[in-house]
Amino acid sequence: MIYLKNVSTLEYDRNSCTGCGMCIEVCPHNVFEREDGKVKILSKDRCMECGACMMNCAFDAIRVNKGVGCASAVINGVLKGTEPSCGCSDGNSSGCCC
């Protein structure tokens, strides 16, 4: 599932990754996969910025501003009964709150 394109704050440092796969286990939207003994990001646009990956990475290989962007947009959409929107976009694809 893709929430909003090109707004995720998710960052990954392959050099710090040990390939433990904890991020794969805790991610609710299959953002990560293992490749060549390390983890890689499949799609940043799947990230809802819940922060589970970052909180469970003992090697500081993942950074994300949890609770902003997509996760916030989905919550706002549910509360307002509308499509996901963070509320600061001007309605076109270039608008972004992150």
Side-chain angles (χ1 to χ4, degrees):
M1 172 182 258
I2 293 175
Y3 293 103
L4 297 172
K5 290 190 178 273
N6 303 318
V7 299
S8 177
T9 61
L10 178 65
E11 295 178 14
Y12 166 70
D13 178 9
R14 183 172 171 84
N15 294 325
S16 297
C17 179
T18 64
C20 73
M22 185 57 75
C23 55
I24 296 170
E25 296 296 319
V26 300
C27 179
H29 292 117
N30 302 313
V31 171
F32 305 95
E33 75 175 0
R34 193 177 279 112
E35 179 179 85
D36 299 326
K38 297 272 187 165
V39 170
K40 78 171 197 173
I41 295 175
L42 286 173
S43 173
K44 285 178 72 169
D45 292 336
R46 291 182 186 177
C47 179
M48 63 180 260
E49 297 176 314
C50 67
C53 57
M54 180 178 68
M55 291 186 293
N56 286 281
C57 180
F59 307 98
D60 296 322
I62 300 171
R63 289 171 301 284
V64 66
N65 292 335
K66 63 181 184 167
V68 301
C70 296
S72 181
V74 170
I75 292 167
N76 285 336
V78 168
L79 292 175
K80 296 176 183 175
T82 63
E83 290 296 314
S85 170
C86 60
C88 61
S89 172
D90 60 5
N92 64 41
S93 61
S94 66
C96 166
C97 61
C98 302

